[in-house]
Amino acid sequence: MNKLFTELRRRNIFRIAGVYAVTGWILMQVVSVMTPALNLPDWVDSFFAVVLMIGFPIAMLLAWAFEMTPEGVKRAENVKDGESITDKTGRKLDYTIVGGLVVVGALVVWQTTQTPNSAPVQTQAEISTPNIAVQTQTDEKPSIAVMPFEDFSAAKDQEYFASGISEELLNVLSRIEGLKVSSRTSSFAFKEREASTGEIAEALGVKHILEGSIRKSGTTLRITAQLIDTANDEHMWSQTYDRPLTADNIFAIQDEIAAAIVAELKGRLSIGEVEVTDRTASLEAYELYLRARQQMNKRLPDALRAAEAGYKQVIALDPEFAPAFSGLADTYMLMEGYTDMQEDESNRLAKPNVERALQLAPNSAESLTTAAMFATDERRFDQAVALANRAIAVNSNYADAYLRKARALRFLSRYEESMIAIQKARSLDPLSAVILDNLGYQQLLLGDKKAAIKTMRDNIRWNPDNPSGLIGLASIFYLDGDIVTAHGLNKDAQPLNPEHVQMQNQLVNIYLDVGMYDAALFASKEPYNRSRALLLMGKRQQSLKLVLDNTETVRAGSVLYLHGNLKDSYQFVQKSVRNLRALENQASFSWVTLYADFAFVFQKNGDGNTDVIMGKIEDYLGTETAMDKTLPADLIAGIKLHLLKGDTDAAYIWLDRYLDLGFANIPLLKEPPFDSLRGSPEFEKRVARMAKNAAKYRAEIEAQLA
């Protein structure tokens, strides 16, 4: 063996093996890079790997059989003593190995630097690509997601019924103390997606999944359900139920399934008992309720109107069924944001239904949450928080209760508390478009714009048919002064819901900023928006009549302010200030320009609150100068603050910074605070610069529209 080992070393077999290994590794790296670059088929990598493996023993045999001599390569048995130059060849092979290892090291270092440590910024094309791996914090307590049951009926016309059964089971389970239940929106997000049990569990942050099916045939109902442990994809329990179709049987089956799940989980986990929910004795009312709830959850104009009609039918059949009243109230309140219904009309229609829901079910989480939403719409923010807390005490898994609490706290400028509530809502319903939209806005209020952008992009990715993510992302670009990108995102959102109020408001603001008044008038039916457009078009009387006939207090005051009627505006603004509790706290970017308008109206009417509001603007702007500011709203607030102080030179410094950054807002310079400057050469020079900035954006927006 020693002689064989010595001979192998003399013939450089080990060195050749090393050279072969290094060269082969480098070759495979080149192939792995070039295969996708040249659009070669996947088998090319495998082909080269097989060739290299086959070539290795062949190379070793050739190295054993032949040697290098001064005359060239000869068979080993023909090489005489002294003719072999394997020593010199060995040194060259050593150099080759060292050089190859240097190349290998360099390639390893390069590959390491090319591996991103965090997700890259996504392009618009990537936004719409669903991504299953959403990181969601998983609670230690037992958790479950109820997936939408499948419709196995022959006519395939019972999807609403299958979804309704899933929701009712979810509602029953959500009332179990000690059990975390993922909300409907997130669970149902996987209905049209191909995803494994493990992927669903990771995205929703749950350890168990309940899935099943329904088959409805005439007066017979079959429900099949199975409980899955996501850790090992084990089917913990399954059961099929065949029953005559009556309301009592449906509820009995729901209770039976829930009880079976609880019994199965109780053997391993510590959880409480099942509580009975509000129910109707009418099968027809129950089916109509399921249909109406499905339509309401879509949050689209026609669907909300269908939900309104459906809930009214349910109430006619069973006037004691509380969830129908809370559902109808929710529908009216949603119409204010997702259709062209005005806030006053929305609240008027919602109010009696809120009261009836509370009367029938005063301790229902649904009734209390609806009441919290209504209290917020009526600016009774403290009461809204209290109602939401009561709902949470009844059902700690009810994500909407945390969402309504977060919204009320935000209006109170209790931003950190609001963030805690919205994060809890997200943990229960991580894929909800509405919750993600609110989370993104809350992150923006707390100054974390990077996180807000990521949240909005997540919303777009998970909810491609919902406009909230696009509109939320557009609002961030608009706040940054990038109105062209904001316009494009809003136009992308428009087909998803043409009546979405926030989208319409943003488009109107963009069109007014660049002087496209006709487009602004066409973009919205909302009286406040149309009134502003008519004013800028020179139709003052139409503008004034429209807003005074239709618009709520705060906006009526704003339009009168724009008209220069500061005396009448003062009467409305006084009422608005009493309602806007945010004035009691630190100003934020979402309020600061409105504060400046209020302060100007108060100042012209000799109101002592002027100094209070000006102080809040100063606190918000801090000690930074105009050159430190980059947001349009901040600069506008600074301009108006110095005009309020009578410091024209300082106001021009802030205005010049606004114009130097390329921002555009033609209506700004038409507002009353600039009346004292109007006509002077210095001011008209700025008006011309503003028009030039606006013309640039207008050309880009018109190109987008074309």
Side-chain angles (χ1 to χ4, degrees), residues 465-618:
D465 296 328
N466 189 299
S468 298
L470 289 165
I471 296 168
L473 194 59
S475 67
I476 296 175
F477 282 105
Y478 183 79
L479 288 169
D480 277 346
D482 187 352
I483 59 178
V484 175
T485 300
H487 178 264
L489 288 165
N490 277 300
K491 293 301 290 184
D492 287 343
Q494 195 171 36
L496 300 176
N497 182 359
E499 296 182 37
H500 197 290
V501 172
Q502 187 183 356
M503 177 270 299
Q504 290 184 352
N505 289 344
Q506 285 196 51
L507 286 176
V508 168
N509 288 334
I510 290 167
Y511 293 142
L512 293 180
D513 286 350
V514 300
M516 297 173 65
Y517 304 140
D518 288 334
L521 190 65
F522 181 75
S524 174
K525 295 180 182 178
E526 206 281 324
Y528 171 68
N529 288 329
R530 294 177 65 81
S531 180
R532 288 190 297 153
L534 288 167
L535 174 61
L536 290 164
M537 295 168 75
K539 300 178 180 180
R540 295 181 62 86
Q541 292 305 313
Q542 287 179 252
S543 166
L544 198 58
K545 184 177 187 306
L546 184 64
V547 74
L548 291 178
D549 287 349
N550 294 280
T551 305
E552 66 271 15
T553 300
V554 62
R555 294 192 169 189
S558 294
V559 172
L560 288 167
Y561 157 80
L562 294 174
H563 273 263
N565 186 348
L566 303 181
K567 182 178 180 180
D568 289 340
S569 174
Y570 178 60
Q571 308 304 318
F572 287 100
V573 170
Q574 275 186 307
K575 297 175 185 176
S576 300
V577 170
R578 285 198 295 269
N579 289 333
L580 293 173
R581 289 286 303 279
L583 284 170
E584 299 176 7
N585 302 284
Q586 177 66 35
S588 69
F589 72 86
S590 61
W591 295 101
V592 69
T593 54
L594 185 62
Y595 284 4
D597 296 343
F598 285 169
F600 187 77
V601 173
F602 279 19
Q603 186 183 67
K604 294 302 179 182
N605 285 276
D607 192 304
N609 283 311
T610 305
D611 292 338
V612 175
I613 302 176
M614 287 174 60
K616 292 192 176 297
I617 299 172
E618 289 180 319

